[in-house]
Structures are given as structure tokens and as C-alpha cells.
Amino acid sequence: MSVINMKNKEVRKVSRMGNSLGVGIPKSIIDALKLEKGDDLQFTVDSNNRIMLEKKKKLEDRVDPELLEMLAETFEEHDEVFRNLKDR
């Protein structure tokens, strides 16, 4: 994971978002993490109340695309077998 040295601190207000509270993410962080709509974020709070924010990797980013394609084909080809197994 790369560390970004931000010279300027950015301040955001906590706002009401439905029944929750939320904070907008600065564009510099969006760009650094290459965030897109629908991405999952993981927050970790350390003992000094510092928050670490990480973009969770999608399954497609962690697994060989050929393997995913083979699995999809296998499930499609043997759909009836898998459905019968679940009923056992």
C-alpha cells in the first residue's frame, strides 16, 4: 500500500445522511485510491483514534479471470447437479 503525503490538511463537516452521519471524501483521496461508485471501503481505527481507510479489493482483482470463467462454465454446465446437491 502506498502512503500519500498530503501537504495540506483538508477539513470536512459531518453531515446527516438519512438516519446516519457521513463525511465527503476529498477528491485527492478519491484519486489516490482510484475510488469509483460502488467500491467497498474498510475503516480501521487504531488506539490513537486514527482512521485508516482502504479500498477493498474486488473478487475479480484477487482471482485469476480464467479461473472465474472456468467456474462460471462449470456451474452452468452442471447446474442441475448443484441444485440437487443443495436439496440433500
Side-chain angles (χ1 to χ4, degrees):
M1 176 194 312
S2 63
V3 176
I4 300 163
N5 186 5
M6 296 177 66
K7 293 181 181 178
N8 298 323
K9 292 183 180 181
E10 299 194 38
V11 176
R12 296 290 188 266
K13 284 211 182 286
V14 176
S15 303
R16 171 108 9 231
M17 294 182 165
N19 291 330
S20 300
L21 297 177
V23 176
I25 301 172
K27 182 162 179 5
S28 58
I29 293 174
I30 291 171
D31 293 343
L33 295 177
K34 299 179 180 151
L35 295 177
E36 297 177 358
K37 183 177 180 179
D39 285 342
D40 290 324
L41 298 175
Q42 180 173 313
F43 295 84
T44 307
V45 180
D46 70 12
S47 59
N48 293 319
N49 287 330
R50 290 181 295 203
I51 298 171
M52 178 181 291
L53 173 68
E54 295 178 83
K55 177 179 174 181
K56 292 221 30 171
K57 291 185 177 181
K58 296 177 184 173
L59 180 63
E60 300 85 35
D61 296 336
R62 296 180 290 161
V63 178
D64 182 358
E66 282 186 43
L67 174 62
L68 291 176
E69 188 175 325
M70 282 184 356
L71 286 171
E73 289 171 0
T74 301
F75 282 118
E76 188 176 317
E77 184 177 334
H78 301 287
D79 182 59
E80 188 176 332
V81 172
F82 289 117
R83 287 185 190 278
N84 290 335
L85 283 175
K86 89 169 184 181
D87 294 333
R88 287 186 165 204

